Amino acid sequence: MNHPDPLRVGLIGAGGIAGVHAPAWRSLGADLVVHSLHGADDLAQRHGASTADSLDDLLARVDVVGILTPTATHAEIALAAIAAGKHVVCEKPLARTADQAQQIVDAAERADVRLFPAHVVRYFPAYAAAHASVTAGRIGQVAVSRFRRASAAPASPWFFDEAVSGGIVMDQMIHDLDQALWLAGAVTHVFARSVTRTDDGVRTASATVTLTHGSGAISHVHGVWGHAHLPFSSSFEIAGSEGLLRHDSAREDAVRLHLPPAPGGGYLPEVDVMDSPYTAEIVDFAAALREGREATVTGLDGVHAVRLAEAANESIRTGAVVEIETQEALR
Amino acid sequence: MTLTVGLLSFAHPHVHGYAAALADQGVRVIGTDTGVPDPGTIRGADLAAQLGITYAEDVASLLAEAPDAVVICSENSRHRELTEQALAAGSHVLCEKPLATSDEDAAAMVAAAERAGRILMTAYPVRFAPAFADLVARCRAGQLGQILAVVGTNNGKMPRPGERSWFTDPARSGGGALMDHVVHVADLLDELLGEPAENVHAVTNQILHAGIGVETGGVVSVRYPSGVIGQIDCSWSVPDSAPTWGGLTLEVHGTRGSMRIDPFAEHVAGYDAEGAVWQPYGPDLDARMIATFLDAVRTGTRPQPDGGVGARTLAIVTAAQRSVASGRPEPTHLH
């Protein structure tokens, strides 16, 4: 898609997630500038972007900022971008704390700029299809939902630093906490448990979160950062008064392929960037910006998800059920 | 020597599978029914005739024939009384799950079996699934490393209120989906982890089949002393329109490996004039459990799952019920 005036987008951070945001923006014909402590040149080279030596330099050259840095830095960078009058796309979690997330939303409102927390699971086709079915009333009233997400533990050490990332609940399971909110509405009570183990120097973690929604529905969310051989998979099951919906990425069967191992690489198929949920997310944000409409995910959605993750971490710390003020949950 | 086995009560629908399995094992089966059947359902002497077993007028006359063993398929709340009567008559007991509806009753049953020197086995057929045996063997061999977390689901259709109304009458069942479904997964975890659950949190609701009077949806979070966390979905969430009754899954994550089992997954799928077809072809777990019980009766060994695990798994349910009432996580009475 060619925009008459190319969007000028600045990406801050050049880690794993930048590798999917950059081609998504490029597919919209955006001009990209990258600023990062590490890897900016490499990312810029791969995606036809330029680099900026400082945040200020980047902010001077763009209209939209994509924040793709470790979680604890989101608030400071977002507030700086908003203060400079830039629209913000921020990787999830919107911020390390709900109070910071709310400050970002408030600042964006005051500055009259747009804010898009990148809760990309809303753009994964299976989840979007389930949401559409549920909102169309196909399974009646939502009763019991479960969401599960598992992968090998992330390699960058900051993910395991609770102060920086918020741990597995705030970093990984926030995807499904957002899904629970999206599908079953505001949450009133949260209970959670977690476990971490180190075996032969390898760190693994798991947590479970039980949610009671204002509607009476209950949800459970399970996350695993597992051993190195655990392939990524996610699944859900949503039981309603009139039916049930389920999906398991590990059981998708559209293609089967069995090949001998190919030493030194070999043919890798082109992945069409237009099929990527990360592209769908960026396309929605860009259209929302252009048309002045809401995107599928709003700034407040980002706040609510962080608040839920925070409540779950509090429950893990205290061993108690955490009540969320209804006013707050619905704000 | 041909064993004689009594079927005490036909209240639980598993009586059909157990009667068939007992007949296949070449034992003599006498049955008697108890409780108040729902109008229009086939029970008592008529069901005995259908199952091809001898019918006894009542529990006393059945026990007067001194059966080697009994299989109890009554309403949950009557398990204790029938177990005590059977043990007093010198019979070994295989009791349908849950073992009882209170921790006190379960402990009394275990003690009574000890005193009588007779077997008390709890009917947990999933224990006999080859997939579960594989999981246990791999965990014990260290293939999964240290276990972190387990997720279990046991979901099914709601027992039909017009045919088995006692399932949704707390006085006879002890509760709804929590009482019916948590124990199967809890039993697998008891065997797998080898430690009794420490702390339980549960939430329930009644949105599915609203108005039935007991919980139909439930989510239970369990912590074990070693730090393992478990989550169990026990909801009666399989819609009546589904082609099969439901199923059970268990997913285990360790520091070195992960494994998921779905012992009821094996089926031929397709469509007939009514819609989707689900034709299971996995092993008959009821038959394996009955065979283990009868073998223990014959040889005088102590089979698993026994009354002790029946009591320990019920303790998770009673703690879950206390948690639902208090809104807080609750310790099991075992700790």
Side-chain angles (χ1 to χ4, degrees), chain B residues 260-285:
Chain B
R260 177 183 189 273
I261 62 168
D262 186 350
F264 298 97
E266 293 164 310
H267 72 284
V268 173
Y271 310 91
D272 64 12
E274 309 300 317
V277 166
W278 181 295
Q279 184 61 49
Y281 62 79
D284 183 340
L285 304 183

Side-chain angles (χ1 to χ4, degrees), chain A residues 148 193 197 199 216 227, chain B residues 147 205 221 251 255-256 258:
Chain A
R148 180 199 143 282
R193 302 188 198 267
R197 301 228 197 263
D199 186 356
H227 51 93
Chain B
I147 295 176
N205 63 18
S221 168
E251 181 172 329
T255 53
R256 296 177 183 205
S258 303

Side-chain angles (χ1 to χ4, degrees), chain A residues 121 124-130 146-149 232-238 244-253, chain B residues 260:
Chain A
V121 177
F124 274 68
Y127 291 80
R146 49 174 203 263
F147 302 93
R148 180 199 143 282
R149 190 167 294 271
F232 172 81
S233 72
S234 74
S235 60
F236 62 77
E237 181 171 299
I238 307 154
L244 179 141
L245 299 169
R246 66 159 70 109
H247 166 74
D248 185 344
S249 69
R251 295 179 152 199
E252 281 183 349
D253 205 23
Chain B
R260 177 183 189 273

Side-chain angles (χ1 to χ4, degrees), chain A residues 190-193 311-322, chain B residues 199-201 223 327-330:
Chain A
V190 181
F191 180 76
R193 302 188 198 267
N313 276 335
E314 183 187 335
S315 176
I316 287 167
R317 231 176 8 256
T318 61
V321 173
V322 174
Chain B
N199 184 282
V200 177
H201 173 265
R223 183 183 284 285
R328 292 189 300 268
E330 296 281 350

Side-chain angles (χ1 to χ4, degrees), chain B residues 72-163:
Chain B
I72 297 174
C73 284
S74 69
E75 298 90 341
N76 301 339
S77 63
R78 296 198 65 191
H79 286 175
R80 175 180 174 177
E81 129 196 22
L82 292 172
T83 296
E84 287 174 343
Q85 289 176 44
L87 290 170
S91 301
H92 298 285
V93 175
L94 170 62
C95 184
E96 182 53 55
K97 50 58 51 175
L99 186 60
T101 54
S102 73
D103 293 317
E104 186 193 347
D105 282 358
M109 292 162 74
V110 172
E114 279 298 324
R115 276 197 309 274
R118 290 290 180 272
I119 293 165
L120 173 60
M121 184 170 171
T122 311
Y124 286 135
V126 193
R127 190 73 92 89
F128 298 87
F132 180 65
D134 187 21
L135 171 67
V136 171
R138 288 178 189 277
C139 285
R140 291 196 179 147
Q143 286 189 358
L144 273 60
Q146 306 162 40
I147 295 176
L148 284 152
V150 289
V151 190
T153 67
N154 185 192
N155 300 130
K157 296 181 182 179
M158 193 185 76
R160 291 186 184 192
E163 293 172 22

